[in-house]
Amino acid sequence: MSAPVSPGLRSGSLPLLVALMTLLAGLSLAGLTGVQILAEGWSSAARNATTIEIPSDTPQLEDRTHTLIQTLHRTAEVTNVRELSPQQVQTLLAPWLGQVSSSGHLPGLSLPVVLIVAHTGTPDLGAVVHEALPEAVVEEDRRWGERLNGLGSSLVACAWLAVSLIAAIAVLSVGMTVRRSVMAQRKAVEIVHFLGAGDLTISSRIAGRAALLSLAGGLTGLLFLSPVITMLARKLAPFSHATGPTLPTNTWTDMFASWWATLHVLPRILLQELGALPLIAACLGWMTAQTVVLVWLRRLP
């Protein structure tokens, strides 16, 4: 009875459809994970640093700068105070003011003193600095951290929306495919139904077949997704602390070893999410087919 009413025997579109949806969902999850890691890096890098700029024409610049540094060291929650050297300041300003000359100076410019203060928490360094040096300019990096964190949260929300839309489209597409297949076998289903087969029995047979086809489509999509994710991982490898040695790819064994080593660059949570995609596709296929067939059978006279 299962063969005539099985969606997979009349149409091969279901595995192909699920494979494409798995590919899109995998790419969206990879983008989501990358955005989350980037947002966390932004937040941690910017929230615990403050930049202080002291104009070069400040009276008694050296003595007052030394006093300010000592005051910052005694301030609660300040962990480190670092004064940039003139060469570091020149390198920092070179993109805006031009390249450093052969003598190591930017001609015609008097560079300010720049202090980088590392701290924990959110101390009010502006009040401390302006009390000692009113001429100083204080830039709280945590403000940029908050803005970047907000941008990262927006990007994460967009990525989750994309994943949700893909799941919704997959459910609708699987439902339409199952319904079209059942409608094409309407006579066979009606005969079996009128002979006494229960609605749940018929729907379970069709749903089981749909789950198997969805699982096969999910595994196929994951197979096609693997080289894309591997290529992206290799591009991102220089930015990762887990970068491994570059392996030769002259043989299939070397290519597999290189692919396996590249996967270690990917976050573990992403690998788990990608591995779960075929199972999620099978569950969605089963639930969608079960619901569609039961609703259709209930409308039979």
Side-chain angles (χ1 to χ4, degrees), residues 51-178:
T51 302
I52 302 173
E53 179 184 335
I54 306 173
S56 59
D57 56 354
T58 302
Q60 300 177 351
L61 175 61
E62 186 175 349
D63 294 338
R64 297 176 70 185
T65 299
H66 180 73
T67 302
L68 175 60
I69 293 176
Q70 296 300 322
T71 303
L72 290 173
H73 277 300
R74 292 192 299 267
T75 302
E77 298 181 332
V78 172
T79 59
N80 184 40
V81 180
R82 181 168 62 95
E83 180 180 355
L84 298 185
S85 65
Q87 291 75 17
Q88 290 174 324
V89 176
Q90 292 166 9
T91 304
L92 185 65
L93 297 178
W96 291 272
L97 303 179
Q99 297 296 325
V100 179
S101 64
S102 57
S103 61
H105 298 280
L106 290 170
L109 292 177
S110 180
L111 298 176
V113 176
V114 178
L115 303 179
I116 305 297
V117 181
H119 57 80
T120 60
T122 56
D124 188 7
L125 294 181
V128 176
V129 173
H130 289 149
E131 183 178 355
L133 265 173
E135 301 90 345
V137 178
V138 179
E139 180 64 35
E140 292 285 356
D141 292 355
R142 69 171 181 269
R143 296 177 183 175
W144 287 103
E146 293 172 356
R147 296 172 184 174
L148 292 174
N149 191 33
L151 175 61
S153 299
S154 301
L155 294 176
V156 169
C158 292
W160 274 118
L161 178 61
V163 173
S164 301
L165 288 176
I166 291 173
I169 294 173
V171 170
L172 292 176
S173 302
V174 171
M176 293 175 61
T177 302
V178 172

Side-chain angles (χ1 to χ4, degrees), residues 284-297:
L284 288 178
W286 186 89
M287 290 187 296
T288 303
Q290 187 84 291
T291 302
V292 169
V293 176
L294 283 176
V295 171
W296 183 79
L297 289 175

